[in-house]
Amino acid sequence: MSAEFSSVGPSSDEFPLHSSDIWDDEDGRRHKLMVDSVHRHGALAGIELHHGGAHAMRRVSREPAFSASGLAPELPPPAGPLGTPKVMTVDDIERIEQAFADAAVRARDVGYDIVEVLAGYGYLFAQFLSTFHNRRTDEYGGSLENRARFWLETLGRVRDAVGDDCAIATRLSIETQGPWGHSIDDSVALVRMADPLVDLWDLNVGSVLDWGSDISPSRVIPEGRNLELFARVRQATKKPVVGVSRWTSPDLMAQAVRSGVIDIVGSARQSIADPFFPQKVREGRIEDIRECMGINHCISSLDRGNMTCAQNATAGEEYRRGWHPERFEPLSRPDVSVLVVGAGPAGMEAAIGLAKRGADMVHLVDSVDQLGGHLGPVVRLPGLREWGRFIDHRMIQIDKLPNLQFIPSTRLSADDVRDYGASHVVVATGARWLGTGLTPGTHEPLQGVVEGASWVFTPDELLVRGKRPAEKSHVTVYDAEGGYMGTSIAQLLADEGYKVSVVTPHSQVAAEGDLTLEGPAVRASLHSSGVAMYREVSLTSARPEGVIGVGEFDQPFSLKSDALVLVTMRSPIDDLYQELTIDREALHEAGIEAVYCIGDALSPRPLAEAMFDGH
């Protein structure tokens, strides 16, 4: 197990990012708590020693940033620091090399088994390795050998400092998208240079500027796509290689290791989706694995202050709530019969949890013939097929639980629910997309829109009911929500031959996609498909021949089109819940002790939050 990156000194203070420091002995004592815990489970503990260089935040230390050549960092505010960083002198280089050696000794002394020097992601060593950052003319600039000198000297100092007490590793980003890294050919040469100094290679792709290449979202990047690049580097070393990619399938992981291209699978997100992945593989319980879907909700939620997962409701809640991903607290009163109405993400999660907690009987009822709720048609959108793993996992669990029964194609009224014989009722009936154009920015319907008109469409009508505009129509997709739906609908219609425009009031098309790291690739795909994109435009009215709105500075906007798709806001489908709870006396007479409303029926939210609510 490897700790998050750990800064080696105040010039790489990374507050407020989620990271650790190992500047002094007090930091070491904090690290020891984790190291001892890892060792109690029989695992090796590794630490990633880090310096951000020109990208370091330095919000607490307020020291100037260090850089190879004094070029302003390319990360825009607020992600990156403002100002021009200091050009490192030879004395600065000496001090940072010693800071890494001192940090390595502290790490060894608290029990770390592997000490890793981070030379990837566009941080300090990567900045020296790249001609985009490094314009030096001394012995630390120019040729690849010179640009690698700082990194190689640091590895040598770390090796000398800890001797054979720890394994020495280094992470290298072997390819980046854009000018700021180095080529795969350079990476092969760099591995040959550093190979005598390291015991373990940790390889990834991408940098802080193209993080999506590394934290590859399934919507735009296939699983394990870095394998060919790892194969190039494999020719340069016989040392063990950790290959970091989006690995989720145990079969693909085994294939990658058996091929000899990598020796160890590096996969953080799969460990979040299912921390017991290795144990389930060892025990042959492959079908019980919650495979990561590559939604990257973990990344977007981390940026908002709390890491969560769309597959695993317990992620981030182990300490706060005492939740365990594989253990369920038995019900204090198991003699209950539970009716769950709605087999979407929240309903499935609630039903499975109640059955695993020992409820005598759980019936999961849905008006359609398949599990999944709104997610069923969503997984048929371009690039979202892997999101179906959410449904697949829960379908298997439902089949395994003898006290849980799925009852399809059954629509229940309030009278039906009261007559059902359940002691507890959970309403998980989902949400619907509004067809009025009501948006978060105006809280008003879109003038001129008539709900149900032949030229107005919602995602529900397109995906569930299969409705389409007339052939060869020009379609405007108004995406006031900013999630995956608007751009997915636009891509779908473009693939089907429509002329499509996306209009959004947000500062970027696929605004949420920039947090889940798929935004740039999604926009590139739309552009290559001929989709026109209009940002920071709020529509004010619509009619069959086109839409009218205003731009960021109130400049008039108009666009001719034949059809309008409204991706603006969802409204809960809570009629059943309201009907049931308005008559408490009828519930009492029916023997129903409690009625709960969960998921999108309570409050329409992203998949991870609806599933969390069900859990």
Side-chain angles (χ1 to χ4, degrees):
M1 175 185 171
S2 180
E4 59 199 347
F5 69 46
S6 298
S7 126
V8 298
S11 60
S12 188
D13 159 36
E14 295 294 352
F15 183 84
L17 297 181
H18 296 267
S19 64
S20 62
D21 303 322
I22 189 159
W23 302 354
D24 53 32
D25 291 342
E26 178 59 33
D27 290 335
R29 282 190 285 274
R30 287 191 286 269
H31 279 269
K32 192 173 189 309
L33 296 173
M34 192 204 74
V35 171
D36 290 347
S37 180
V38 169
H39 286 165
R40 279 195 297 272
H41 290 277
L44 299 177
I47 186 170
E48 196 171 55
L49 303 182
H50 158 80
H51 197 295
H55 294 149
M57 304 299 280
R58 309 171 336 280
R59 299 286 174 82
V60 172
S61 72
R62 300 179 72 173
E63 292 196 7
F66 280 156
S67 71
S69 300
L71 298 169
E74 58 279 19
L75 274 174
L82 290 172
T84 303
K86 177 185 188 294
V87 179
M88 290 182 73
T89 65
V90 173
D91 286 343
D92 291 329
I93 289 172
E94 159 77 21
R95 281 195 294 273
I96 295 301
E97 288 180 2
Q98 189 59 47
F100 271 86
D102 293 343
V105 170
R106 288 188 199 100
R108 177 200 63 189
D109 290 349
V110 300
Y112 277 108
D113 306 287
I114 303 169
V115 173
E116 181 169 302
V117 174
L118 177 55
Y121 287 119
Y123 294 129
L124 182 60
F125 293 119
Q127 290 159 26
F128 269 76
L129 292 172
S130 168
T131 56
F132 181 76
H133 300 276
N134 188 343
R135 308 292 174 83
R136 300 174 74 101
T137 56
D138 64 0
E139 67 268 35
Y140 293 98
S143 68
L144 182 63
E145 290 77 7
N146 279 359
R147 300 198 310 272
R149 190 182 306 277
F150 180 21
W151 171 52
L152 295 173
E153 287 178 353
T154 303
L155 284 172
R157 283 206 182 198
V158 168
R159 165 69 72 189
D160 291 342
V162 300
D164 293 330
D165 297 335
C166 303
I168 306 301
T170 191
R171 169 166 283 192
L172 191 66
S173 299
I174 57 176
E175 187 178 72
T176 61
Q177 302 295 317
W180 39 78
H182 44 81
S183 70
I184 182 63
D185 290 332
D186 282 349
S187 294
V188 172
L190 289 167
V191 168
R192 289 198 171 102
M193 289 181 207
D195 206 45
L197 298 170
V198 303
D199 304 300
L200 179 71
W201 284 100
D202 186 359
L203 305 179
N204 81 304
V205 169
S207 75
V208 290
L209 286 163
D210 65 326
W211 202 21
S213 296
D214 180 52
I215 314 293
S216 45
S218 61
R219 189 175 173 187
V220 292
I221 296 177
E223 179 188 2
R225 72 90 183 254
N226 297 338
L227 200 56
E228 291 183 14
L229 296 172
F230 297 152
R232 291 279 309 277
V233 175
R234 175 85 272 180
Q235 301 167 13
T237 180
K238 294 190 183 324
K239 301 285 177 65
V241 170
V242 178
V244 178
S245 188
R246 187 170 64 81
W247 307 104
T248 65
S249 162
D251 291 330
L252 185 57
M253 292 183 191
Q255 177 185 335
V257 172
R258 285 175 184 145
S259 71
V261 171
I262 64 173
D263 303 282
I264 302 170
V265 171
S267 181
R269 282 168 297 166
Q270 179 54 54
S271 299
I272 297 168
D274 194 334
F276 287 82
F277 179 97
Q279 181 176 328
K280 291 175 181 178
V281 171
R282 189 182 304 117
E283 295 173 355
R285 296 190 293 120
I286 305 300
E287 74 282 0
D288 288 334
I289 291 170
R290 283 187 302 276
E291 281 196 43
C292 170
M293 299 178 287
I295 289 179
N296 283 359
H297 190 84
C298 50
I299 304 297
S300 63
S301 63
L302 187 63
D303 285 340
R304 293 182 169 106
N306 179 39
M307 194 279 297
T308 59
C309 176
Q311 268 282 50
N312 176 13
T314 69
E317 303 296 339
E318 302 89 344
Y319 174 75
R320 292 192 307 180
R321 300 174 193 264
W323 285 1
H324 189 283
E326 300 296 315
R327 291 197 296 266
F328 290 78
E329 287 294 320
L331 291 171
S332 57
R333 234 194 77 201
D335 59 331
V336 292
S337 54
V338 186
L339 171 62
V340 181
V341 185
M348 288 190 292
E349 190 72 10
I352 291 168
L354 288 163
K356 287 187 174 183
R357 294 185 69 193
D360 277 352
M361 181 274 287
V362 181
H363 280 188
L364 177 61
V365 179
D366 202 283
S367 59
V368 301
D369 62 355
Q370 292 180 333
L371 292 161
H374 81 277
L375 197 57
V378 161
V379 302
R380 296 195 291 271
L381 284 166
L384 303 189
R385 181 177 57 84
E386 290 190 40
W387 293 26
R389 292 174 176 176
F390 185 98
I391 302 172
D392 295 342
H393 172 75
R394 284 150 185 85
M395 186 183 301
I396 290 168
Q397 301 310 304
I398 288 168
D399 286 343
K400 284 187 168 191
L401 291 163
N403 56 339
L404 172 54
Q405 183 179 355
F406 173 51
I407 302 171
S409 305
T410 303
R411 185 177 295 277
L412 297 177
S413 66
D415 285 339
D416 294 332
V417 170
R418 284 189 285 262
D419 293 340
Y420 201 89
S423 63
H424 293 71
V425 176
V426 179
V427 178
T429 42
R432 65 183 183 93
W433 288 95
L434 294 178
T436 62
L438 184 73
T439 71
T442 65
H443 289 181
E444 296 290 342
L446 196 58
Q447 186 179 351
V449 167
V450 178
E451 192 165 8
S454 61
W455 56 280
V456 178
F457 298 84
T458 66
D460 296 329
E461 290 167 334
L462 294 169
L463 301 181
V464 180
R465 292 186 276 284
K467 292 178 65 177
R468 287 293 185 275
E471 288 187 19
K472 300 183 180 178
S473 296
H474 181 180
V475 182
T476 295
V477 177
Y478 186 40
D479 181 12
E481 188 218 22
Y484 69 88
M485 183 60 78
T487 49
S488 294
I489 290 285
Q491 187 68 62
L492 174 73
L493 294 175
D495 292 347
E496 292 180 356
Y498 293 94
K499 183 180 179 183
V500 181
S501 297
V502 175
V503 178
T504 182
H506 300 295
S507 60
Q508 190 59 276
V509 171
E512 181 70 13
D514 282 356
L515 290 176
T516 54
L517 306 179
E518 68 212 29
V522 166
R523 290 188 289 271
S525 178
L526 291 173
H527 176 72
S528 66
S529 298
V531 175
M533 291 173 270
Y534 302 91
R535 301 175 293 175
E536 296 187 322
V537 172
S538 297
L539 296 187
T540 56
S541 65
R543 54 190 188 277
E545 58 270 19
V547 295
I548 295 173
V550 293
E552 180 185 6
F553 304 109
D554 291 331
Q555 70 271 32
F557 173 87
S558 63
L559 182 65
K560 291 183 178 181
S561 61
D562 308 304
L564 175 64
V565 179
L566 295 168
V567 187
T568 58
M569 195 173 121
R570 291 186 297 156
S571 176
I573 302 172
D574 61 356
D575 310 53
L576 177 62
Y577 177 74
Q578 300 296 344
E579 282 187 59
L580 289 170
T581 55
I582 202 169
D583 192 342
R584 297 286 179 178
E585 187 174 335
L587 289 177
H588 178 72
E589 291 174 358
I592 297 174
E593 299 178 31
V595 179
Y596 305 92
C597 187
I598 66 169
D600 289 344
L602 179 67
S603 165
R605 286 161 287 171
L607 170 61
E609 301 307 321
M611 180 269 296
F612 172 86
D613 208 34
H615 192 86

